[in-house]
Amino acid sequence: AQSVTQLDSHVSVSEGTPVLLRCNYSSSYSPSLFWYVQHPNKGLQLLLKYTSAATLVKGINGFEAEFKKSETSFHLTKPSAHMSDAAEYFCVVSVLAGNKLTFGGGTRVLVKP
Amino acid sequence: GAGVSQSPSNKVTEKGKDVELRCDPISGHTALYWYRQSLGQGLEFLIYFQGNSAPDKSGLPSDRFSAERTGGSVSTLTIQRTQQEDSAVYLCASSKGSPGNTIYFGEGSWLTVV
């Protein structure tokens, strides 16, 4: 069985400051991990994914995430928040061939001017 | 197609009516997923199709929900005798089906039961 915990349901940052979204997972097997973003009334867009290659993964829009097996974490960061980053972010784990995805509860990001 | 296509994008239906939601995955994708996103409930797994294998239906909330995937491509999610608690966004996604393959989501079908 697998599970994902996003440690913060809401994060508020000022424009131009760093963003940190925390994600911890549990999995019996080597997982694939993803971060998705959902803007209001929009579908889910992939930001980045980890699939057992480099542990530091770079994604779109300046986001990156680091896979830390010892801490079972996959935290998402961005050095400088932009107003357009205001959205909900989901950490997702998948194991085995095409198995169903397990979503975290989501983190809603508010960016203040 | 270029992406996962879902229809209708919005549907308002009366309680007790049946609805069908359609998903057209990316061409060549063998894996297809249905999820439900309700206000305050997060994303809930419904059903998963992988090639010709028997679907994983473990997430369907009741026997009013069913889904099929014809010819390994288009999928239809059917909700019979809709209830107000069925109001949600129904998201379809597809992938090539191997571990780590990117999973692409459609824009969703917004269902409102009145």
Side-chain angles (χ1 to χ4, degrees):
Chain A
Q2 64 227 32
S3 66
V4 180
T5 302
Q6 290 182 242
L7 299 168
D8 307 290
S9 59
H10 293 80
V11 167
S12 181
V13 298
S14 297
E15 190 175 21
T17 65
V19 182
L20 169 65
L21 305 183
R22 298 181 294 166
C23 172
N24 285 97
Y25 71 92
S26 68
S27 171
S28 304
Y29 302 91
S30 295
S32 296
L33 293 157
F34 308 80
W35 275 99
Y36 283 86
V37 61
Q38 186 176 35
H39 288 92
N41 301 319
K42 296 289 187 183
L44 290 158
Q45 180 185 18
L46 180 69
L47 280 177
L48 49 80
K49 67 178 182 180
Y50 165 78
T51 57
S52 77
T55 56
L56 182 62
V57 182
K58 294 188 183 297
I60 62 170
N61 301 336
F63 284 94
E64 63 180 38
E66 186 171 9
F67 173 72
K68 293 186 176 180
K69 186 175 180 179
S70 61
E71 299 176 10
T72 61
S73 69
F74 190 57
H75 301 335
L76 181 71
T77 60
K78 182 172 180 176
S80 176
H82 190 272
M83 295 300 292
S84 61
D85 295 328
E88 188 157 20
Y89 293 77
F90 293 94
C91 183
V92 183
V93 64
S94 172
V95 296
L96 303 180
N99 198 5
K100 64 189 180 190
L101 310 173
T102 300
F103 282 77
T107 299
R108 191 169 296 276
V109 173
L110 173 66
V111 182
K112 297 176 290 186
Chain B
V4 178
S5 177
Q6 291 188 246
S7 62
S9 54
N10 283 284
K11 175 76 175 178
V12 179
T13 189
E14 291 181 351
K15 178 180 172 181
K17 300 282 190 184
D18 297 352
V19 295
E20 286 189 350
L21 307 177
R22 176 188 166 102
C23 173
D24 197 347
I26 294 172
S27 178
H29 281 191
T30 59
L32 187 146
Y33 312 77
W34 283 99
Y35 280 81
R36 178 167 71 175
Q37 187 174 27
S38 308
L39 200 60
Q41 297 290 320
L43 277 123
E44 176 188 5
F45 166 77
L46 296 177
I47 189 168
Y48 159 64
F49 296 89
Q50 171 59 53
N52 296 322
S53 302
D56 178 352
K57 303 180 181 180
S58 60
L60 295 178
S62 77
D63 59 8
R64 297 187 295 106
F65 287 73
S66 63
E68 62 178 23
R69 188 178 184 192
T70 52
S73 181
V74 171
S75 176
T76 302
L77 177 69
T78 301
I79 309 172
Q80 296 178 309
R81 305 180 303 280
T82 51
Q83 303 294 313
Q84 287 185 327
E85 61 263 28
D86 299 334
S87 296
V89 180
Y90 290 83
L91 293 167
C92 178
S94 72
S95 78
K96 291 183 179 178
S98 295
N101 286 150
T102 298
I103 298 122
Y104 296 89
F105 283 82
E107 295 270 320
S109 290
W110 296 66
L111 175 66
T112 304
V113 182
V114 297

